[in-house]
Amino acid sequence: MNKVLTSAEQIDFKISDLPAMPAPSKVLKVKPTWFDVEYVINPHMKDNVGGVDKMQAANEWEHLVDGYEELGFDVEILDGVKGLPDLVFCANQSLPFIDENGNKKVIMSSMRAPQRRGEVEVIEAWYRKKGYEIIQLDESKIGNLEGMGDALWHFKRRLLWGGYGFRTSLDAYDQVSKALNTPVIALELVDEKFYHLDTCMCMLNEKSVLIYEDAFTEAGIEMINKLFEKVILASKYEAEKLFAVNATCPDGKNVFIQQGSTDVNKKLRDAGFSVHEFSTYEFMKSGGSVFCMKLMYW
Ligand code: ARG
Protein backbone atom coordinates (compact mmCIF):
# COMPACT_ATOMS: atom_id res chain seq x y z
CA MET A 1 0.00 0.00 0.00
CA ASN A 2 1.68 3.22 -1.04
CA LYS A 3 0.12 6.64 -1.11
CA VAL A 4 0.57 10.08 0.35
CA LEU A 5 -2.31 11.27 2.52
CA THR A 6 -2.93 14.93 3.24
CA SER A 7 -6.35 14.98 4.90
CA ALA A 8 -8.23 12.95 7.50
CA GLU A 9 -10.98 11.97 4.99
CA GLN A 10 -8.37 10.09 2.97
CA ILE A 11 -7.47 7.87 5.92
CA ASP A 12 -9.47 4.66 5.53
CA PHE A 13 -7.54 2.47 7.97
CA LYS A 14 -6.85 2.11 11.67
CA ILE A 15 -3.35 1.69 13.08
CA SER A 16 -4.17 -1.89 14.02
CA ASP A 17 -4.92 -2.67 10.34
CA LEU A 18 -1.35 -1.86 9.31
CA PRO A 19 1.42 -4.46 9.08
CA ALA A 20 3.74 -4.62 12.08
CA MET A 21 7.37 -3.58 11.87
CA PRO A 22 10.01 -4.33 14.50
CA ALA A 23 11.30 -1.31 16.42
CA PRO A 24 14.99 -0.60 15.82
CA SER A 25 17.26 -1.74 18.63
CA LYS A 26 20.52 -0.04 17.73
CA VAL A 27 21.64 3.53 18.21
CA LEU A 28 24.21 5.48 16.20
CA LYS A 29 25.79 8.59 17.71
CA VAL A 30 28.33 10.90 16.08
CA LYS A 31 30.99 12.40 18.37
CA PRO A 32 30.67 16.17 18.84
CA THR A 33 34.41 16.83 18.34
CA TRP A 34 33.70 19.19 15.42
CA PHE A 35 30.28 20.36 16.55
CA ASP A 36 29.71 24.11 16.67
CA VAL A 37 27.28 26.69 15.33
CA GLU A 38 29.13 27.86 12.21
CA TYR A 39 26.24 29.14 10.08
CA VAL A 40 22.55 30.01 10.46
CA ILE A 41 20.03 27.73 8.75
CA ASN A 42 17.28 27.81 11.37
CA PRO A 43 16.09 30.58 13.75
CA HIS A 44 17.61 28.90 16.82
CA MET A 45 21.15 29.25 15.44
CA LYS A 46 20.88 33.02 15.17
CA ASP A 47 23.03 34.71 17.85
CA ASN A 48 24.78 31.43 18.64
CA VAL A 49 27.47 31.38 15.96
CA GLY A 50 30.75 30.32 17.57
CA GLY A 51 28.98 30.05 20.91
CA VAL A 52 29.17 26.35 21.71
CA ASP A 53 30.99 25.30 24.88
CA LYS A 54 32.83 22.25 23.54
CA MET A 55 33.52 20.67 26.93
CA GLN A 56 29.93 21.02 27.97
CA ALA A 57 28.73 19.63 24.63
CA ALA A 58 30.97 16.59 25.08
CA ASN A 59 29.56 15.98 28.58
CA GLU A 60 25.97 16.28 27.45
CA TRP A 61 26.63 13.91 24.58
CA GLU A 62 28.36 11.30 26.82
CA HIS A 63 25.43 11.26 29.22
CA LEU A 64 23.08 10.42 26.39
CA VAL A 65 25.31 7.54 25.28
CA ASP A 66 25.24 6.23 28.87
CA GLY A 67 21.46 6.58 28.94
CA TYR A 68 20.94 4.37 25.89
CA GLU A 69 23.42 1.81 27.17
CA GLU A 70 21.66 1.68 30.53
CA LEU A 71 18.40 0.88 28.74
CA GLY A 72 20.17 -2.00 26.99
CA PHE A 73 20.55 -0.43 23.54
CA ASP A 74 23.55 -1.27 21.45
CA VAL A 75 25.31 2.09 20.80
CA GLU A 76 27.71 2.56 17.91
CA ILE A 77 29.88 5.65 17.83
CA LEU A 78 31.15 7.36 14.71
CA ASP A 79 33.88 10.02 14.67
CA GLY A 80 32.86 13.54 13.77
CA VAL A 81 34.24 15.16 10.62
CA LYS A 82 35.99 18.52 10.48
CA GLY A 83 33.93 21.03 8.53
CA LEU A 84 30.63 19.17 9.14
CA PRO A 85 29.49 20.65 12.47
CA ASP A 86 25.91 19.38 12.16
CA LEU A 87 26.89 15.75 11.55
CA VAL A 88 26.16 15.15 15.27
CA PHE A 89 22.49 15.42 14.29
CA CYS A 90 22.72 12.01 12.67
CA ALA A 91 18.94 11.52 12.44
CA ASN A 92 18.86 13.78 9.39
CA GLN A 93 20.98 12.20 6.65
CA SER A 94 18.89 9.07 6.13
CA LEU A 95 15.67 7.16 6.60
CA PRO A 96 16.44 3.52 7.41
CA PHE A 97 13.86 0.73 7.36
CA ILE A 98 13.45 -2.98 7.31
CA ASP A 99 11.28 -4.31 4.50
CA GLU A 100 8.55 -6.97 4.67
CA ASN A 101 11.17 -9.68 4.03
CA GLY A 102 13.49 -8.48 6.76
CA ASN A 103 15.98 -6.76 4.41
CA LYS A 104 17.73 -3.69 5.77
CA LYS A 105 17.43 -0.69 3.50
CA VAL A 106 17.96 3.02 3.69
CA ILE A 107 16.80 6.05 1.74
CA MET A 108 19.54 8.68 1.71
CA SER A 109 18.62 12.32 2.28
CA SER A 110 18.99 15.28 0.00
CA MET A 111 19.72 18.08 2.46
CA ARG A 112 18.31 21.51 1.82
CA ALA A 113 21.25 23.56 3.15
CA PRO A 114 24.43 23.32 1.06
CA GLN A 115 26.42 23.41 4.32
CA ARG A 116 24.96 20.04 5.31
CA ARG A 117 25.14 18.15 1.99
CA GLY A 118 28.56 16.62 2.70
CA GLU A 119 27.16 14.80 5.73
CA VAL A 120 25.15 12.37 3.62
CA GLU A 121 28.10 10.53 2.10
CA VAL A 122 29.67 10.02 5.52
CA ILE A 123 26.57 8.29 6.81
CA GLU A 124 26.11 6.42 3.53
CA ALA A 125 29.61 4.94 3.81
CA TRP A 126 28.74 3.74 7.32
CA TYR A 127 25.53 2.06 6.04
CA ARG A 128 27.51 0.28 3.32
CA LYS A 129 29.72 -1.28 5.97
CA LYS A 130 26.59 -2.40 7.81
CA GLY A 131 25.32 -4.15 4.66
CA TYR A 132 22.30 -1.92 4.07
CA GLU A 133 20.82 -1.62 0.60
CA ILE A 134 21.20 2.05 -0.32
CA ILE A 135 18.31 3.82 -2.07
CA GLN A 136 18.99 7.20 -3.73
CA LEU A 137 15.93 9.09 -4.82
CA ASP A 138 16.07 11.29 -7.91
CA GLU A 139 16.83 14.75 -6.52
CA SER A 140 15.48 16.49 -9.63
CA LYS A 141 12.07 14.94 -8.92
CA ILE A 142 11.84 15.00 -5.13
CA GLY A 143 13.28 18.34 -4.08
CA ASN A 144 14.72 17.80 -0.60
CA LEU A 145 14.37 15.11 2.04
CA GLU A 146 15.96 15.38 5.48
CA GLY A 147 15.68 11.81 6.69
CA MET A 148 14.45 11.20 10.19
CA GLY A 149 14.36 14.91 10.89
CA ASP A 150 11.09 14.98 8.97
CA ALA A 151 10.18 11.35 8.28
CA LEU A 152 9.13 9.50 11.41
CA TRP A 153 8.07 5.87 11.62
CA HIS A 154 4.93 5.12 13.55
CA PHE A 155 5.98 3.01 16.52
CA LYS A 156 6.17 -0.62 15.32
CA ARG A 157 3.87 -0.13 12.31
CA ARG A 158 4.41 0.31 8.58
CA LEU A 159 3.24 3.88 8.50
CA LEU A 160 5.37 6.95 7.96
CA TRP A 161 4.61 10.46 9.23
CA GLY A 162 6.24 13.00 6.94
CA GLY A 163 6.76 16.66 7.75
CA TYR A 164 7.26 19.13 4.90
CA GLY A 165 7.52 22.82 4.20
CA PHE A 166 10.82 24.04 5.58
CA ARG A 167 13.34 21.30 4.79
CA THR A 168 11.67 18.31 3.13
CA SER A 169 9.47 18.89 0.05
CA LEU A 170 5.99 17.40 -0.18
CA ASP A 171 7.01 15.91 -3.55
CA ALA A 172 9.60 13.73 -1.86
CA TYR A 173 6.98 11.61 -0.14
CA ASP A 174 5.57 10.19 -3.34
CA GLN A 175 8.81 8.39 -4.06
CA VAL A 176 9.44 7.66 -0.40
CA SER A 177 6.04 5.98 -0.12
CA LYS A 178 6.81 3.82 -3.17
CA ALA A 179 10.28 2.86 -1.93
CA LEU A 180 8.90 1.92 1.49
CA ASN A 181 5.69 0.38 0.15
CA THR A 182 4.03 2.23 3.01
CA PRO A 183 1.46 5.01 3.27
CA VAL A 184 2.80 8.41 4.27
CA ILE A 185 0.78 10.90 6.28
CA ALA A 186 2.10 14.23 5.05
CA LEU A 187 2.03 17.02 7.64
CA GLU A 188 2.65 20.59 6.61
CA LEU A 189 4.81 22.55 9.07
CA VAL A 190 3.90 26.20 9.49
CA ASP A 191 6.23 27.69 12.12
CA GLU A 192 9.88 28.11 11.14
CA LYS A 193 11.04 27.48 14.71
CA PHE A 194 9.64 23.97 14.21
CA TYR A 195 11.35 23.36 10.90
CA HIS A 196 11.64 19.57 11.23
CA LEU A 197 8.80 17.25 12.18
CA ASP A 198 10.91 15.89 15.04
CA THR A 199 10.76 19.30 16.73
CA CYS A 200 6.96 19.16 17.03
CA MET A 201 6.01 15.46 16.98
CA CYS A 202 7.39 12.66 19.13
CA MET A 203 6.16 9.08 18.67
CA LEU A 204 5.66 7.53 22.08
CA ASN A 205 4.06 4.19 21.35
CA GLU A 206 1.50 2.75 18.95
CA LYS A 207 -1.34 4.70 20.52
CA SER A 208 0.31 7.83 21.89
CA VAL A 209 2.13 10.84 20.56
CA LEU A 210 3.51 14.10 21.95
CA ILE A 211 3.05 17.17 19.75
CA TYR A 212 3.27 20.95 19.67
CA GLU A 213 -0.06 21.80 18.05
CA ASP A 214 0.64 25.26 16.64
CA ALA A 215 3.38 23.93 14.37
CA PHE A 216 0.73 22.15 12.26
CA THR A 217 -2.20 23.04 10.03
CA GLU A 218 -5.74 22.11 10.98
CA ALA A 219 -5.66 19.29 8.44
CA GLY A 220 -2.51 17.95 10.09
CA ILE A 221 -4.03 18.03 13.57
CA GLU A 222 -7.12 16.18 12.30
CA MET A 223 -4.97 13.39 10.88
CA ILE A 224 -3.00 13.08 14.11
CA ASN A 225 -6.19 12.98 16.18
CA LYS A 226 -7.71 10.40 13.87
CA LEU A 227 -4.89 7.88 14.25
CA PHE A 228 -3.66 8.33 17.81
CA GLU A 229 -5.78 7.47 20.84
CA LYS A 230 -3.74 9.73 23.09
CA VAL A 231 -2.29 13.05 21.97
CA ILE A 232 -0.19 14.81 24.61
CA LEU A 233 0.24 18.54 24.02
CA ALA A 234 3.37 20.53 24.80
CA SER A 235 3.19 24.22 25.71
CA LYS A 236 4.80 26.85 23.49
CA TYR A 237 7.48 27.56 26.09
CA GLU A 238 8.54 23.95 26.58
CA ALA A 239 8.36 23.09 22.88
CA GLU A 240 10.19 26.18 21.66
CA LYS A 241 12.66 26.96 24.42
CA LEU A 242 13.29 23.47 25.78
CA PHE A 243 12.77 21.36 22.66
CA ALA A 244 10.48 19.18 24.79
CA VAL A 245 9.02 17.51 21.71
CA ASN A 246 12.45 16.63 20.28
CA ALA A 247 12.39 13.83 22.82
CA THR A 248 12.69 10.15 22.04
CA CYS A 249 10.91 7.06 23.27
CA PRO A 250 12.91 4.21 21.76
CA ASP A 251 11.10 1.35 23.50
CA GLY A 252 7.55 2.69 23.85
CA LYS A 253 8.03 3.23 27.57
CA ASN A 254 11.12 5.26 28.48
CA VAL A 255 11.28 8.86 27.29
CA PHE A 256 14.57 10.76 27.00
CA ILE A 257 13.91 14.49 27.06
CA GLN A 258 15.66 17.83 27.60
CA GLN A 259 15.61 18.68 31.29
CA GLY A 260 13.14 21.15 32.75
CA SER A 261 10.05 20.35 30.66
CA THR A 262 7.97 20.13 33.83
CA ASP A 263 4.51 20.21 32.29
CA VAL A 264 5.23 17.69 29.51
CA ASN A 265 7.04 15.43 31.96
CA LYS A 266 4.05 15.34 34.29
CA LYS A 267 1.74 14.51 31.40
CA LEU A 268 4.10 11.76 30.26
CA ARG A 269 4.32 10.26 33.75
CA ASP A 270 0.54 10.45 34.17
CA ALA A 271 0.26 8.49 30.92
CA GLY A 272 2.53 5.77 32.30
CA PHE A 273 5.87 6.69 30.71
CA SER A 274 9.21 6.76 32.56
CA VAL A 275 10.88 10.11 32.02
CA HIS A 276 14.66 10.56 31.90
CA GLU A 277 15.91 14.13 31.72
CA PHE A 278 19.11 15.11 29.95
CA SER A 279 20.85 18.41 29.37
CA THR A 280 21.26 19.29 25.68
CA TYR A 281 21.71 23.07 26.02
CA GLU A 282 24.75 23.22 23.76
CA PHE A 283 22.94 21.36 20.99
CA MET A 284 19.79 23.44 21.35
CA LYS A 285 21.92 26.41 20.26
CA SER A 286 22.02 24.71 16.87
CA GLY A 287 18.30 23.87 16.84
CA GLY A 288 18.42 20.26 17.96
CA SER A 289 18.07 18.14 21.06
CA VAL A 290 17.76 14.52 22.16
CA PHE A 291 15.87 13.03 19.21
CA CYS A 292 18.03 14.24 16.35
CA MET A 293 21.32 13.57 18.16
CA LYS A 294 21.03 9.89 17.32
CA LEU A 295 19.91 7.51 14.64
CA MET A 296 17.97 4.37 15.50
CA TYR A 297 18.62 1.45 13.16
CA TRP A 298 18.30 -2.30 12.86
N1 ARG B 1 21.64 22.89 12.86
C1 ARG B 1 20.89 21.77 12.39
C2 ARG B 1 20.01 22.19 11.23
O1 ARG B 1 19.44 23.24 11.29
C3 ARG B 1 20.10 21.16 13.50
C4 ARG B 1 19.40 19.92 13.10
C5 ARG B 1 18.60 19.34 14.21
N2 ARG B 1 17.89 18.24 13.74
C6 ARG B 1 16.58 18.02 13.89
N3 ARG B 1 16.10 16.97 13.34
N4 ARG B 1 15.80 18.81 14.50
O2 ARG B 1 19.86 21.49 10.28
Side-chain angles (χ1 to χ4, degrees):
M1 178 170 38
N2 60 64
K3 53 187 163 187
V4 179
L5 307 166
T6 52
S7 76
E9 303 84 72
Q10 297 169 336
I11 301 176
D12 56 0
F13 55 83
K14 293 194 296 295
I15 292 299
S16 55
D17 300 334
L18 298 169
M21 186 171 81
S25 63
K26 296 180 183 164
V27 180
L28 174 71
K29 299 256 315 158
V30 175
K31 280 193 195 163
T33 325
W34 300 104
F35 169 63
D36 205 341
V37 177
E38 293 182 2
Y39 42 77
V40 177
I41 56 172
N42 71 55
H44 307 274
M45 298 172 94
K46 212 169 132 264
D47 304 328
N48 285 320
V49 173
V52 170
D53 178 333
K54 301 283 174 61
M55 284 281 276
Q56 188 54 29
N59 283 336
E60 292 177 354
W61 185 90
E62 290 287 350
H63 280 134
L64 276 163
V65 172
D66 293 347
Y68 292 111
E69 284 176 345
E70 274 162 30
L71 276 194
F73 283 96
D74 191 348
V75 182
E76 178 148 337
I77 292 169
L78 204 60
D79 279 334
V81 175
K82 190 170 184 223
L84 297 176
D86 277 337
L87 188 60
V88 288
F89 300 111
C90 57
N92 302 162
Q93 303 80 6
S94 69
L95 169 61
F97 64 105
I98 184 153
D99 76 8
E100 293 90 337
N101 304 314
N103 300 309
K104 297 173 186 179
K105 299 184 178 174
V106 59
I107 300 179
M108 297 313 299
S109 297
S110 151
M111 308 299 289
R112 176 151 304 198
Q115 296 95 326
R116 296 200 65 186
R117 299 226 171 105
E119 297 171 23
V120 181
E121 62 194 61
V122 178
I123 300 296
E124 187 182 321
W126 172 81
Y127 275 115
R128 285 194 196 282
K129 285 197 200 122
K130 293 272 156 201
Y132 270 69
E133 181 184 319
I134 313 278
I135 302 172
Q136 310 271 14
L137 301 182
D138 181 348
E139 218 173 87
S140 67
K141 291 205 190 105
I142 66 162
N144 297 107
L145 171 71
E146 295 208 350
M148 298 207 67
D150 273 320
L152 306 179
W153 281 109
H154 194 93
F155 188 71
K156 290 194 177 171
R157 292 284 172 180
R158 292 194 184 277
L159 174 68
L160 193 83
W161 294 83
Y164 70 92
F166 295 103
R167 298 293 180 86
T168 300
S169 335
L170 175 58
D171 286 347
Y173 290 117
D174 223 27
Q175 282 198 43
V176 167
S177 173
K178 285 187 188 119
L180 302 175
N181 191 28
T182 298
V184 176
I185 310 266
L187 298 170
E188 185 176 6
L189 304 179
V190 296
D191 180 336
E192 60 167 355
K193 293 214 172 86
F194 301 88
Y195 58 94
H196 269 154
L197 184 59
D198 72 4
T199 62
C200 50
M201 181 178 212
C202 173
M203 298 296 153
L204 296 169
N205 61 28
E206 267 185 76
K207 297 181 173 161
S208 325
V209 68
L210 165 66
I211 63 166
Y212 172 59
E213 246 185 332
D214 288 354
F216 298 98
T217 61
E218 224 168 278
I221 297 295
E222 276 174 24
M223 292 191 281
I224 293 168
N225 285 326
K226 182 155 184 179
L227 289 172
F228 285 98
E229 275 173 34
K230 185 159 184 71
V231 180
I232 298 178
L233 302 179
S235 68
K236 180 175 162 70
Y237 175 77
E238 293 188 1
E240 191 177 307
K241 300 287 183 237
L242 298 174
F243 281 81
V245 189
N246 196 254
T248 189
C249 185
D251 57 359
K253 187 177 179 330
N254 289 282
V255 181
F256 286 9
I257 190 166
Q258 162 61 32
Q259 70 186 38
S261 306
T262 324
D263 175 60
V264 163
N265 289 346
K266 182 176 183 315
K267 290 175 178 164
L268 288 169
R269 289 195 181 101
D270 288 348
F273 293 93
S274 299
V275 176
H276 309 260
E277 296 185 63
F278 291 87
S279 166
T280 62
Y281 285 107
E282 296 311 311
F283 298 89
M284 281 159 46
K285 292 175 179 169
S286 186
S289 181
V290 180
F291 182 90
C292 45
M293 291 170 65
K294 59 100 182 69
L295 174 78
M296 298 288 307
Y297 69 102
W298 288 267

